[in-house]
Every structure is written in C-alpha cells, then in structure tokens.
Amino acid sequence: MSTPESRLRPWLNRLGRLFLSAIFIRSAITKILAPQATQAYMAQFQVPGWLLIPTILVLLLGGLSVLVGYKTRWGAAFLIGFLIPATLIFHTDFSKNIEAIQFWKNLALIGGLLLVIADDSGGRAGRPDASEP
C-alpha cells in the first residue's frame, strides 16, 4: 500500500539531488570558462595547475552522477575526496569571514554527500529500493 510519504520520497530525493549537485556542476563550468583565473588562484596556494583538469572532471562527473542517480555512491565519494583537501587548502583562514563560511559550507556539502552514500534508495534516479514494499 502506498503512503503519502512513499509517494513523496522519490520527488524529494530528486529535488535534493538537483540542489546538491548544482554547486558542483556550476563550479566545473566556471572553471572550464575561466581556466587561467582558476589556475592563478590555485597557484596562490602552491597547487599545481595541471590539477585543474582532474578537478573539473571530478566536479562535473561527480555532480552529474549525484544528479541523475547513476553510480551515485561513487560520484558522492569522489566529490568528498575533492572537498576534503580543497577545504583544508583553500578555506582555513578563519580571519576572513568568507573563508569560514566556505569552510562550513563545504562541511555541510560533505554531510549531504555522506547521506547520499548512506541512503542510496534513490540511486536509480529516485526510484525506491526493490526491497521496499
């Protein structure tokens, strides 16, 4: 028997994935459109410019994976693997309020991605697990 919660869950899952993935997809596009500016920013932190291409791939493919629900756990794990060093390298100067905000925003994103990994009931584009009645 279908409950209001069971009917609503796939839609909430899709909407959550859309919102969660949007920041990563947008970030990838921004880096594609302004690679020199991104590499100059990276150089300020002694991060080699050649890491730009793998960064774009992780952001874009990981974001799309979370968005469409294909290999979602892998996509979320790769995004977490990006976020941890990026947060620790670029956003630890807490004397600047914006950096503190970026740090906590990234922790929230990691939390959301951990939830995606833990409860991948929407791993197939929001369809409930076959084990659910």
Side-chain angles (χ1 to χ4, degrees):
M1 179 151 86
S2 180
T3 65
E5 179 190 89
S6 67
R7 288 190 301 269
L8 191 57
R9 183 178 176 141
W11 294 103
L12 292 174
N13 192 296
R14 288 181 185 112
L15 189 60
R17 287 171 185 274
L18 171 66
F19 291 157
L20 185 58
S21 66
I23 194 166
F24 299 107
I25 296 168
R26 182 185 185 280
S27 180
I29 292 168
T30 301
K31 288 168 179 39
I32 291 167
L33 296 176
Q36 293 84 7
T38 303
Q39 286 179 320
Y41 179 73
M42 292 166 63
Q44 293 175 24
F45 295 88
Q46 288 74 47
V47 175
W50 65 265
L51 286 174
L52 180 59
I53 298 298
T55 296
I56 291 169
L57 289 172
V58 167
L59 292 170
L60 189 58
L61 296 176
L64 289 171
S65 170
V66 170
L67 176 64
V68 302
Y70 178 75
K71 302 289 185 187
T72 309
R73 287 183 170 139
W74 283 101
F78 277 113
L79 290 170
I80 290 170
F82 161 78
L83 280 170
I84 291 171
T87 302
L88 295 174
I89 292 169
F90 298 108
H91 303 302
T92 54
D93 183 358
F94 297 128
S95 68
K96 298 176 184 172
N97 191 45
I98 189 65
E99 295 306 325
I101 291 168
Q102 293 292 337
F103 179 89
W104 290 106
K105 181 248 328 164
N106 283 4
L107 286 185
L109 288 170
I110 291 169
L113 292 166
L114 288 171
L115 288 172
V116 167
I117 291 170
D119 180 34
D120 194 30
S121 60
R124 292 164 316 283
R127 291 188 300 269
D129 275 339
S131 62
E132 290 185 10

